[in-house]
Amino acid sequence: MAANDRTIDVSIILPVYNASKWLDECLNSVLKQNFEGTFELSAFNDASTDGSLDMLKRWEEKLEAADIPVILGGHQGQQPKGVGFAKNQAVAQSRGRYLCFLDADDVMDTHRIELQYAASVDRQNAIIGCQFHREPANSTERYTHWCNTITEEQLYTQAYTSHGPTVIMPTWFCSRELFDRIGGFDERGKGVPEDLIFFLAHLHNGGNVHRVNQCLLMYRYHPQAATHSIHKDTIWTIRIEAFEKHVLSQWPLFTVWNAGKQGRRLYRSLTCKSQKKVMAFCDVDVKKIDKGAYIYEESQEIPKPQVEIVHFRDAHPPFVICMKQDLTGGEFESNLASLNLKEGKDYYFFS
């Protein structure tokens, strides 16, 4: 479609796979949007077998009766082609200058498009997220708190933690130009974290991130969610590769904060070049410190590499911190604060 055919302000991008249980609530939130500009729904049905397509067709009539254009695409193959493929297809068939991503099991606040569009107009090179609440309310409490409260600066500095993108994919809102510049989502299908791959590529391409600090989405938690199909080792590998390339490559030497399981795993996962930059492990556990050193027994090198273990007060920045936050009753956070370091310069979390 030619650029001058883009007459819609916002396209809601909705990939659908066996979502009949939630579609009514999701699409009703599309109908209820309070936005003075123009917007459309671009839905792509990825071989659903549960009646989702029939529901989409019924909602197509209802939405168009309310002057909300609907573009409905899809395929009826034997197998779904995956979330990345479905989102790319929904984007390709849409007309909006801005893209508002929505999962079929989630529900938007009535002001979501209005507020994220306003934030995007002045931030053409940014992925715009928002705060959210979970359903059920008590699911993933630590994760939800982290997503909703990290600072604007931490949207960048904490991008390498196990939590994944610092603004969650179902809240993304961005310009079509930004999306095209990255080249869309990875389409390898089930088990691939297409959102993390896109997000890191965006950051490493000089992209920005912003969060609207209002709760504009109900983010549903359930066993069928696509995120549960992604193995933790896959995410770990992607994180390590990006972290080495864009952070560790800038440091001549560094210290790993945590001489325990996670710190040692980080060390073993690094390339030989990065391993040689590790000055020490640091910890507060006297038993670990008294050992004096970590010996990398699995190494093929002779003699086996050894890395000193020291108390955190005797260690030198920069640090790669392999500690989960909010799990030590504030002790770790207090220890870190006592060193008067700057996140993103003197340390990064890789927890």
Side-chain angles (χ1 to χ4, degrees):
M1 183 180 296
N4 57 11
D5 291 330
R6 307 284 187 197
T7 58
I8 302 290
D9 292 323
V10 179
S11 294
I12 299 173
I13 303 302
L14 182 70
V16 178
Y17 173 66
N18 287 352
S20 60
K21 186 185 299 186
W22 308 289
L23 268 176
D24 279 335
E25 197 175 359
C26 174
L27 293 174
N28 189 56
S29 76
V30 173
L31 180 64
K32 299 297 185 182
Q33 284 303 295
N34 181 16
F35 179 57
E36 294 184 357
T38 56
F39 71 98
E40 67 181 8
L41 174 68
S42 178
F44 189 86
N45 176 49
D46 190 17
S48 294
T49 59
D50 69 340
S52 290
L53 180 58
D54 291 335
M55 293 184 71
L56 286 169
K57 288 178 178 178
R58 289 198 298 272
W59 270 99
E60 180 179 15
E61 294 180 9
K62 187 181 296 188
L63 290 168
E64 292 196 336
D67 294 324
I68 301 172
V70 176
I71 304 171
L72 180 55
H75 72 98
Q76 291 299 314
Q78 293 294 313
Q79 296 292 330
K81 295 185 178 181
V83 179
F85 174 83
K87 283 189 284 201
N88 285 343
Q89 292 299 308
V91 172
Q93 69 189 19
S94 70
R95 299 173 293 171
R97 294 182 298 113
Y98 293 88
L99 308 174
C100 176
F101 291 92
L102 176 64
D103 285 355
D105 50 0
D106 296 335
V107 179
M108 296 191 290
D109 178 85
T110 55
H111 297 285
R112 181 188 172 189
I113 293 179
E114 173 192 8
L115 294 177
Q116 289 191 294
Y117 178 81
S120 288
V121 169
D122 295 327
R123 298 176 178 88
Q124 293 291 307
N125 193 34
I127 292 176
I128 308 293
C130 65
Q131 294 176 328
F132 61 89
H133 69 275
R134 276 297 216 180
E135 178 63 36
N138 62 348
S139 56
T140 68
E141 288 180 298
R142 287 183 61 250
Y143 173 66
T144 301
H145 176 75
W146 175 80
C147 287
N148 285 339
T149 61
I150 57 174
T151 67
E152 191 84 1
E153 189 174 51
Q154 288 172 328
L155 294 176
Y156 301 89
T157 61
Q158 296 198 10
Y160 301 100
T161 72
S162 61
H163 287 320
T166 49
V167 288
I168 63 166
M169 173 70 229
T171 71
W172 286 9
F173 192 109
C174 68
S175 69
R176 181 181 296 273
E177 181 181 347
L178 182 156
F179 180 85
D180 289 343
R181 187 162 57 247
I182 301 303
F185 293 103
D186 188 296
E187 295 188 357
R188 285 175 289 173
K190 188 175 181 179
V192 175
E194 83 292 333
D195 57 341
L196 177 61
I197 294 170
F198 187 103
F199 187 75
L200 291 174
H202 169 67
L203 289 182
H204 301 153
N205 198 43
N208 298 324
V209 189
H210 177 73
R211 185 184 66 227
V212 174
N213 286 323
Q214 288 185 239
C215 183
L216 301 178
L217 187 80
M218 183 274 279
Y219 182 28
R220 200 183 304 272
Y221 182 86
H222 59 88
Q224 293 79 37
T227 187
H228 297 307
S229 71
I230 303 170
H231 198 281
K232 290 182 179 179
D233 288 346
T234 300
I235 296 174
W236 177 273
T237 299
I238 292 169
R239 290 168 55 212
I240 282 284
E241 290 177 354
F243 192 60
E244 284 197 281
K245 183 177 181 180
H246 298 283
V247 177
L248 298 186
S249 64
Q250 307 302 309
W251 289 348
L253 296 169
F254 61 93
T255 298
V256 177
W257 190 313
N258 188 349
K261 183 178 178 180
Q262 286 302 306
R264 296 194 305 268
R265 184 187 181 194
L266 169 74
Y267 177 84
R268 293 194 301 268
S269 300
L270 297 174
T271 62
C272 184
K273 181 179 180 180
S274 293
Q275 287 176 351
K276 293 183 185 304
K277 294 181 178 183
V278 178
M279 293 182 284
F281 288 93
C282 74
D283 214 293
V284 295
D285 188 328
V286 174
K287 290 182 179 179
K288 294 188 179 80
I289 296 168
D290 284 348
K291 287 182 179 179
Y294 164 68
I295 302 174
Y296 183 22
E297 298 288 358
E298 297 89 343
S299 174
Q300 300 302 309
E301 292 185 39
I302 300 175
K304 304 290 187 184
Q306 295 190 37
V307 183
E308 184 182 18
I309 302 174
V310 301
H311 192 275
F312 81 90
R313 292 199 181 280
D314 298 320
H316 299 284
F319 295 96
V320 178
I321 299 179
C322 299
M323 297 283 296
K324 290 185 177 180
Q325 301 176 70
D326 302 320
L327 289 180
T328 62
E331 180 184 0
F332 160 70
E333 287 77 11
S334 177
N335 290 339
L336 179 60
S338 72
L339 299 181
N340 296 312
L341 303 174
K342 180 175 175 56
E343 187 172 1
K345 176 178 178 291
D346 300 313
Y347 68 91
Y348 276 83
F349 281 98
F350 196 89
S351 50

